[in-house]
Amino acid sequence: MALSSTLNLIKHLLILFLLHIPSHNSSYLEYADALSKSILFFEGQRSGYLPNDQRIAWRSNSGLGDGWEVSADLTGGYYDAGDNVKFNFPMAFTTTMLAWSVIEFGDSMPAGELRNALVAVRWATDYLLKTVSQLPNRIFVQVGDPIKDHNCWERPEDMDTARTVYTVEAPNTVSDVAGETAAALAASSIAFRSSDPAYSETLLRTAVKAFEFADTYRGAYSDNSDIRDGVCPFYCDFDGYQDELLWGAAWLRRASQDDSYLNYIQNNGKTLGADDNINEFGWDNKHAGLNVLVSKEVLEGNMYSLQSYKASADSFMCTLTPDSDSSHIEYTPGGLIYRPGGSNLQHATTISFLLLVYANYLQRSSQSVSCGSISVGPTKLRQMAKRQVDYILGENPKGMSYMVGYSNYYPQRIHHRGSSLPSIKDHPQMIACKEGSVYFNSSDPNPNVLVGAIVGGPGEDDAYDDNRVDFRKSEPTTYINAPFVGVLAYFVANPNPS
């Protein structure tokens, strides 16, 4: 009798569980469609002169005078999110992650999407090359006054706010931005090595100069009093500049195979805090990504002098594994990796990327990670990444895709100026700074669909209100999308990892 009651209870609970799983059509698992759209998003973020093959047609030229106040051409690059400012710190990180996506997963991309991904990388690197063109004397770290920009709600094509150029002159400190720029250019040099060797050489040569500047004038760019108010609190260096020095050196090592960079990451690991904050990865904190990147040399090249980096990478993987003794990453009830602070999906996409990259390194070296009482292998890491991807694409308690334009149910009111205001093609008259407020406050869906944009995402309770005002949840960013390009490329080729 007791057994029968137990079986009935289990059956009842199973039915309840199944009833609470949102139904989805097959489009939620169309990774190739999601990949294409995740790359297309970057065309909506472009600044500068747009090419004839621009696919997001509601955008037009913008920021054409960028750099004039310092007698330099600083046109191009990307707006970081839903505003019209070019913040080089997150833009360089975005570039590094796009390039790393191509390096690790380009072989899994359909040929057309590999081309599109490289175009997205080059739109950034062409701009970044301009920002370091006056080394070793100065580096440009930002274009646009964020206070004045954020005080307006206007299209980039109408932008009439101050396009202040934030500059760091030697010997002032800029290790973070210069170090990340070095990483971006070095990684991109690998991505372009086969398709454009001359451009690849230019990128690598310039990366070396950027790193020298970063290492010579050590310190955070946001510590400079003359630019601090323009970069903080938006993209202040909160976590220190030391990780960008190691990160830049690690990418230069990978791109050049120069032993001087190997020596740098060996000899400076302790002094630059390689063992600190190892469970973070994003535009400000590079530690977890650094450890995974450097571990490749340990796992595949038997470079045991770098073993401490691999130990930290292993530890990070264990913290992500729910049944590990050392698990301490928070997940929402629906299964999404969660960290407080807003724009939560940036953590889900970067961590998923690292899970897949590390799984590949482990598989190629026939190794696994020891997490106390359990052993975690490549398959487990890939399955954990897949759970995050599928959540973002719609397998979540709301049944909503958090990628705009993917599936039939996605955010309609994203926090994004160009998307929420009438297109200049439909409304050629200027919409001035405060005239855009009526569109910002409107409850209507955005008139222009920013296809492929991944929003900040739901909170710790899986709740998401489609609200333009709530920028922490509804604003897309380039650095949410960039690692997701690589993640989706992997699942295009391996939809059911085993």
Side-chain angles (χ1 to χ4, degrees):
M1 189 72 177
L3 178 60
S4 175
S5 298
T6 301
L7 289 174
N8 284 332
L9 177 61
I10 292 172
K11 182 179 179 181
H12 178 68
L13 290 172
L14 180 60
I15 290 171
L16 282 175
F17 174 72
L18 291 173
L19 284 173
H20 281 84
I21 297 177
S23 60
H24 307 289
N25 59 43
S26 61
S27 70
Y28 286 120
L29 300 180
E30 290 174 359
Y31 298 121
D33 183 44
L35 171 64
S36 176
K37 288 172 176 174
S38 71
I39 300 170
L40 178 60
F41 157 75
F42 288 94
E43 295 192 18
Q45 297 302 113
R46 285 172 168 172
S47 180
Y49 292 93
L50 302 189
N52 293 330
D53 60 357
Q54 168 80 12
R55 294 178 294 167
I56 293 190
W58 49 265
R59 281 294 323 282
S60 190
N61 300 336
S62 64
L64 302 185
D66 284 358
W68 70 268
E69 70 170 39
V70 293
S71 301
D73 173 12
L74 295 176
T75 57
Y78 292 116
Y79 303 120
D80 73 299
D83 55 19
N84 302 322
V85 182
K86 297 192 298 201
F87 296 98
N88 292 11
F89 196 14
M91 195 197 307
F93 176 70
T94 293
T95 311
T96 306
M97 294 310 298
L98 277 173
W100 201 2
S101 291
V102 169
I103 292 165
E104 299 290 350
F105 304 111
D107 289 346
S108 298
M109 296 180 187
E113 296 310 331
L114 175 57
R115 175 195 168 277
N116 289 334
L118 287 171
V119 168
V121 174
R122 185 158 186 160
W123 194 270
T125 52
D126 281 353
Y127 168 79
L128 291 175
L129 287 171
K130 296 176 183 180
T131 69
V132 292
S133 63
Q134 296 186 19
L135 290 178
N137 300 313
R138 66 187 57 83
I139 179 173
F140 304 112
V141 298
Q142 183 174 310
V143 181
D145 183 323
I147 304 296
K148 293 177 179 176
D149 180 90
H150 291 179
N151 194 41
C152 294
W153 195 258
E154 60 184 353
R155 303 175 296 202
E157 295 83 2
D158 287 335
M159 191 165 39
D160 56 359
T161 51
R163 300 302 286 169
T164 306
V165 176
Y166 296 85
T167 308
V168 177
E169 303 266 357
N172 293 305
T173 60
V174 66
S175 299
D176 34 28
V177 180
E180 185 61 61
T181 300
L185 297 177
S188 299
S189 77
I190 303 172
F192 282 103
R193 187 163 290 159
S194 60
S195 62
D196 194 337
Y199 189 61
S200 172
E201 279 296 316
T202 297
L203 293 171
L204 183 56
R205 186 172 60 252
T206 311
V208 170
K209 294 178 182 177
F211 181 77
E212 287 174 356
F213 198 73
D215 195 38
T216 301
Y217 307 113
R218 290 191 180 187
Y221 85 126
S222 47
D223 287 345
N224 293 300
S225 59
D226 57 333
I227 67 169
R228 182 177 178 82
D229 290 345
V231 302
C232 297
F234 313 102
Y235 292 103
C236 225
D237 186 339
F238 297 102
D239 285 323
Y241 64 88
Q242 295 88 344
D243 53 329
E244 277 83 24
L245 288 174
L246 292 168
W247 178 241
W251 273 112
L252 279 162
R253 163 64 180 174
R254 178 127 175 213
S256 68
Q257 290 300 300
D258 189 321
D259 284 346
S260 66
Y261 298 111
L262 173 64
N263 294 334
Y264 189 98
I265 54 180
Q266 285 174 341
N267 299 335
N268 290 282
K270 285 279 190 287
T271 56
L272 292 177
D275 299 331
D276 302 339
N277 305 311
I278 61 172
N279 298 328
E280 293 275 352
F281 187 49
W283 62 264
D284 187 29
N285 190 320
K286 310 304 174 346
H287 283 287
L290 166 71
N291 293 326
V292 167
L293 176 66
V294 174
S295 293
K296 178 180 171 65
E297 292 222 44
V298 183
L299 289 164
E300 298 181 17
N302 299 318
M303 192 69 68
Y304 296 115
S305 60
L306 301 172
Q307 180 64 35
S308 63
Y309 290 91
K310 180 186 176 295
S312 293
D314 285 351
S315 175
F316 179 57
M317 298 301 149
C318 294
T319 68
L320 297 171
T321 307
D323 44 354
S324 163
D325 298 337
S326 55
S327 172
H328 67 251
I329 297 292
E330 185 179 349
Y331 289 84
T332 68
L336 178 69
I337 289 170
Y338 178 78
R339 290 185 183 274
S343 296
N344 183 60
L345 290 184
Q346 66 180 305
H347 306 299
T349 61
T350 55
I351 289 172
S352 296
F353 182 91
L354 294 183
L355 285 166
L356 293 178
V357 170
Y358 207 57
N360 281 356
Y361 295 169
L362 289 171
Q363 183 170 40
R364 289 199 288 263
S365 56
S366 301
Q367 296 193 41
S368 59
V369 177
S370 176
C371 297
S373 59
I374 64 169
S375 178
V376 177
T379 299
K380 174 67 173 177
L381 299 181
R382 289 165 178 152
Q383 289 169 345
M384 289 163 58
K386 187 176 189 296
R387 179 71 195 96
Q388 299 305 302
V389 174
D390 292 351
Y391 184 108
I392 292 170
L393 296 182
E395 292 191 355
N396 56 63
K398 287 189 70 71
M400 171 183 275
S401 162
Y402 291 108
M403 176 184 284
V404 174
Y406 180 85
S407 85
N408 297 318
Y409 182 36
Y410 55 82
Q412 303 285 325
R413 299 165 187 83
I414 67 173
H415 184 96
H416 190 278
R417 286 160 175 76
S419 173
S420 66
L421 290 154
S423 167
I424 197 166
K425 309 287 175 67
D426 298 326
H427 188 291
Q429 299 81 13
M430 180 175 178
I431 301 173
C433 172
K434 295 301 183 182
E435 292 175 358
S437 298
V438 63
Y439 300 99
F440 173 73
N441 293 316
S442 169
S443 60
D444 292 340
N446 289 7
N448 308 307
V449 179
L450 184 56
V451 174
I454 303 172
V455 295
E460 59 187 327
D461 55 357
D462 296 299
Y464 183 86
D465 296 320
D466 194 1
N467 182 353
R468 192 177 297 114
V469 177
D470 188 359
F471 65 90
R472 288 179 176 83
K473 291 184 176 181
S474 64
E475 187 170 20
T477 72
T478 57
Y479 47 87
I480 296 176
N481 267 66
F484 211 52
V485 169
V487 170
L488 290 169
Y490 175 81
F491 287 111
V492 166
N494 307 275
N496 296 295
S498 58

